[in-house]
Amino acid sequence: MKVVVCVKQIPDPNTTGQLDPSTHLLKREGVEVVMDPGDEYGVEAGLKLVEAAGGEVTIISMGPERGLDAVRKALAMGAAKGILVSDESLRGSDALSTARVLAATAKREGFDIVITATESTDGYTGIVPQAMAEILDVPAVTFAKSIELDGDTLKVQRQTEAGYDVVQATLPVVLSVTAGVNEPRYPSLKGIMGAKSKPLDRLTPRDLELSGVGGASAGQSITAVEPAPQRGAGEIVKDDGQGAARVADFLAERKVI
Amino acid sequence: MALDRVWVFLEVAGGKAAPAGLELLTKARELGSTVEAVVFSPEAEQAAGDAGAHGAATLYAASDPAYTEVLLGGPAADALAALVEEHKPDLILFAMTQDGRDVAGRLAAKLGVPVVANALEVAADGAVSVGSSVFGATLNVTTALEGGAPAIVIVRPKSFAAEPSGAGPAKLVPVAIPVAEKHRRARVVDRTAEVASGPKLEEAAVVVSGGRGLADPKNFELLEQLAGAIGNAAVGASRAVVDAGWVPYAMQVGQTGKTVKPTVYIACGISGAMQHTVGMKGAKAIVAINRDENAPIFKLADLGVVGDVLKIVPQLTEEIKKRKSK
Ligand SMILES: Cc1cc2nc3c(=O)[nH]c(=O)nc-3n(C[C@H](O)[C@H](O)[C@H](O)COP(=O)(O)OP(=O)(O)OC[C@H]3O[C@@H](n4cnc5c(N)ncnc54)[C@H](O)[C@@H]3O)c2cc1C
């Protein structure tokens, strides 16, 4: 079985992001970067699938050269090979361009399942898996919180507003996974050493025969950025046994009890 | 200059239009001269009254039962693309729900038009522009869509209030576009609801939410009891405890969960990470109970109590019961 997992290198989500005031693009200079924590679940899901059914996991990523670190981390976790699509023209890509590039890469590689997170932690548009599925003309099995594979039938619990649906799909599909679908493994020392000799390809949009992708063709642009009004702090009390009574008073003032 | 035609992708559950769609119809009245709704459900026609009352002149009803047997994204995007071709809407609004994202994402790729998600505000002055907030709602960003029509915008529920316009039911236009065979490869074989009894999280006057500070899944019972004592209250949760499997995702509040705007939000043992607070900072009032006086949640609480949630919550439940029995 061929599983393709999409990963992204992002600014450390534990630090507050910043926009470049002149370009309105995410500031990437001088910021620690990590593999998007949401993608670790996708890598783990891919590895589990091939461990059970045989086959290989290929990691694909679009982004600047630094994105190689995320790909290497996934290789260290156990993926067989990696592909980074990188080109200056891709800077400022919107969700649709990203989906086109990743879909073309997955198609070139060949796949039974393409796995993504439900959204990226930094941009969180949250429509790349669906857009990829449309381009690849396969079902998008989204928001998976549990995954089972039986032959070429994938059985997934899909999160919904109210609970979850059980979805059955025959391969090939695009699968998006939620945090909590599994417990991502840490790369072992052996994995980290072994990753160095695994194949790692670089591609450009031209290699994928893609035109009209990237920042220049984004159908949207940021026209204004301003600080959001923040709520102020109110009254803070230390609980000395009267905390509960104070909250009850507050609820009564607000007429909810 | 308003737009000519604005569409709303309306979801229907239990024979009723989802509130998030009615919020969008209300907003759409400001944006376009003609407002129309599109529904994919065997119960589509039952939404005509609600949709009309919130501003939809027409309801395109795709009521083939197959739409509930398969994942909606593929077939609904196909049908919408055909309808777009015929009627040429300028803007299509989706609620940021699972199905909303599935359909909007596929439709954008199919039509090659840009899509903006996480919208909190939408304006149309010739072109469409969208307001959203980033980095845990510390920055507000305005994005202009300039990539051709229709513009596709995915809006966070609760961004607008739903208000009836007083109009009668929408005119029903049946949509007879069949579900293509290829979409039957992904079938929904079962649906499970995990929502608790009592008021819904999005509609309750009070939301009592618990986080990792509750220390044990069974302590969520303390929150259930508190919500029960208050009355019109629902229990929510942080993502940390949802990911840990303590409570279902349907209870999650925040960036990747639900947005709530209750009269009072009570955060119990929740640190107040940005990704949590974006889902609750629209509450009229916020109460936080946390034993760490430096917890970020206190920066936005109207009332903060520094103390042990496992002690204070049961005391509060008793206190409310006592006051109510007087
Ligand atoms: C892309 C992304 C999306 C996310 N989306 C969401 C989302 O939608 N919703 C969400 O909630 N989070 C979300 N998160 C996670 C978020 O960043 C936090 O990790 C999470 O909200 C923390 O949950 P918590 O407050 O329960 O746990 P913690 O941060 O561990 O806080 C627990 C708190 O409990 C307090 N405490 C402990 N014991 C007691 C006691 N006995 N009495 C009183 N207080 C006590 C502690 O002082 C602490 O402040 C997201 C993160 C990412 C990266």
Side-chain angles (χ1 to χ4, degrees):
Chain A
M1 186 166 63
K2 285 193 94 163
V3 179
V4 169
V5 182
C6 304
V7 305
K8 183 182 183 189
Q9 183 89 321
I10 63 163
D12 185 344
N14 295 316
T15 59
T16 304
Q18 284 180 323
L19 293 182
D20 185 306
S22 58
T23 62
H24 291 157
L25 294 176
L26 196 62
K27 245 193 193 161
R28 294 180 192 270
E29 290 71 33
V31 186
E32 279 292 309
V33 288
V34 297
M35 184 203 283
D36 189 325
D39 292 337
E40 294 178 14
Y41 301 94
V43 175
E44 179 66 34
L47 293 173
K48 282 220 166 74
L49 284 167
V50 300
E51 279 160 8
E56 262 184 14
V57 172
T58 299
I59 302 300
I60 67 174
S61 183
M62 180 190 103
E65 279 292 298
R66 289 202 301 190
L68 280 176
D69 291 347
V71 179
R72 283 203 187 98
K73 177 168 179 188
L75 294 178
M77 287 171 74
K81 81 180 254 206
I83 302 172
L84 177 72
V85 187
S86 197
D87 193 58
E88 190 47 39
S89 67
L90 293 174
R91 204 174 146 80
S93 289
D94 62 6
L96 202 54
S97 267
T98 307
R100 288 184 61 202
V101 169
L102 292 174
T105 313
K107 190 168 178 184
R108 183 181 198 264
E109 187 58 22
F111 66 91
D112 297 295
I113 308 182
V114 177
I115 302 180
T116 69
T118 51
E119 64 262 313
S120 66
T121 301
D122 60 342
Y124 59 96
T125 308
I127 57 99
V128 167
Q130 296 86 345
M132 281 177 78
E134 182 62 33
I135 295 163
L136 295 166
D137 198 20
V138 297
V141 180
T142 45
F143 308 101
K145 67 179 196 109
S146 94
I147 305 165
E148 270 173 64
L149 184 71
D150 181 10
D152 74 341
T153 303
L154 193 66
K155 195 169 167 189
V156 157
Q157 288 183 357
R158 173 181 180 264
Q159 271 179 2
T160 61
E161 296 286 289
Y164 63 90
D165 291 347
V166 178
V167 176
Q168 269 181 15
T170 47
L171 306 183
V173 297
V174 171
L175 172 68
S176 80
V177 301
T178 61
V181 67
N182 54 36
E183 195 67 56
R185 68 194 67 184
Y186 290 101
S188 64
L189 190 58
K190 189 163 154 252
I192 296 170
M193 297 312 290
K196 298 200 168 113
S197 55
K198 288 179 177 172
L200 215 173
D201 291 349
R202 319 286 180 81
L203 298 178
T204 64
R206 198 174 319 157
D207 299 321
L208 297 165
E209 290 168 27
L210 282 176
S211 58
V213 292
S217 56
Q220 49 187 286
S221 60
I222 292 181
T223 52
V225 177
E226 51 193 54
Q230 300 297 316
R231 286 183 85 110
E235 174 193 350
I236 308 286
V237 297
K238 280 223 163 69
D239 181 39
D240 51 3
Q242 293 304 305
R246 179 67 197 96
V247 177
D249 290 345
F250 186 89
L251 297 179
E253 284 158 27
R254 302 285 162 154
K255 301 194 168 40
V256 291
I257 57 169
Chain B
M1 196 184 66
L3 304 169
D4 276 343
R5 193 180 291 260
V6 178
W7 280 6
V8 170
F9 173 82
L10 188 64
E11 295 177 53
V12 174
K16 287 183 67 173
L22 301 179
E23 293 162 18
L24 297 183
L25 283 170
T26 306
K27 182 67 188 182
R29 304 207 296 263
E30 264 174 47
L31 302 173
S33 10
T34 303
V35 174
E36 300 179 317
V38 189
V39 180
F40 295 88
S41 159
E43 300 172 327
E45 300 185 358
Q46 293 176 47
D50 273 347
H54 288 80
T58 308
L59 186 146
Y60 297 97
S63 40
D64 187 336
Y67 285 111
T68 55
E69 293 158 9
V70 298
L71 287 176
L72 195 54
D78 283 0
L80 268 170
L83 291 169
V84 162
E85 172 85 16
E86 187 181 342
H87 302 283
K88 310 238 171 332
D90 302 292
L91 166 67
I92 311 180
L93 298 174
F94 291 81
M96 190 125 178
T97 59
Q98 281 78 3
D99 280 347
R101 280 162 65 177
D102 278 7
V103 178
R106 293 196 81 123
L107 182 65
K110 210 173 178 66
L111 300 176
V113 294
V115 51
V116 175
N118 285 297
L120 301 170
E121 184 52 273
V122 186
D125 179 16
V128 175
S129 69
V130 169
S132 58
S133 66
V134 297
F135 306 141
T138 53
L139 285 182
N140 286 341
V141 167
T142 308
T143 304
L145 280 99
E146 46 219 8
I152 297 180
V153 178
I154 310 176
V155 182
R156 288 195 70 100
K158 295 265 168 184
S159 296
F160 313 115
E163 281 155 23
S165 67
K171 187 179 97 192
L172 274 171
V173 177
V175 175
I177 302 173
V179 172
E181 203 48 45
K182 65 178 179 187
H183 296 311
R184 294 179 195 265
R185 281 195 16 232
R187 290 176 304 117
V188 177
V189 295
D190 191 26
R191 292 183 195 273
T192 303
E194 294 180 307
V195 280
S197 55
K200 284 175 88 174
L201 199 53
E202 301 94 315
E203 288 158 22
V206 178
V207 171
V208 183
S209 279
R212 198 140 44 189
L214 287 175
D216 191 293
K218 71 172 193 303
N219 289 329
F220 261 83
E221 277 169 31
L222 301 175
L223 302 191
E224 297 288 349
Q225 287 158 4
L226 174 56
I230 294 171
N232 187 2
V235 177
S238 74
R239 172 160 155 182
V241 298
V242 171
D243 285 354
W246 293 11
V247 294
Y249 167 74
M251 287 168 64
Q252 183 179 316
V253 172
Q255 180 181 307
T256 45
K258 292 193 164 119
T259 303
V260 296
K261 291 193 173 174
T263 310
V264 182
Y265 186 89
I266 311 179
C268 304
I270 291 179
S271 59
M274 299 187 295
Q275 295 92 351
H276 183 77
T277 60
V278 291
M280 45 68 85
K281 63 197 267 180
K284 288 212 182 67
I286 295 171
V287 176
I289 305 172
N290 195 305
R291 71 175 172 201
D292 172 9
E293 61 182 328
N294 297 316
I297 191 76
F298 287 131
K299 293 209 188 86
L300 64 164
D302 298 283
L303 173 63
V305 181
V306 182
D308 184 352
V309 68
L310 298 177
K311 266 199 211 139
I312 296 169
V313 168
Q315 285 170 356
L316 178 58
T317 307
E318 285 316 308
E319 179 70 23
I320 292 169
K321 281 189 185 157
K322 204 167 79 196
R323 293 187 189 196
K324 283 199 169 176
S325 67
K326 271 190 193 150

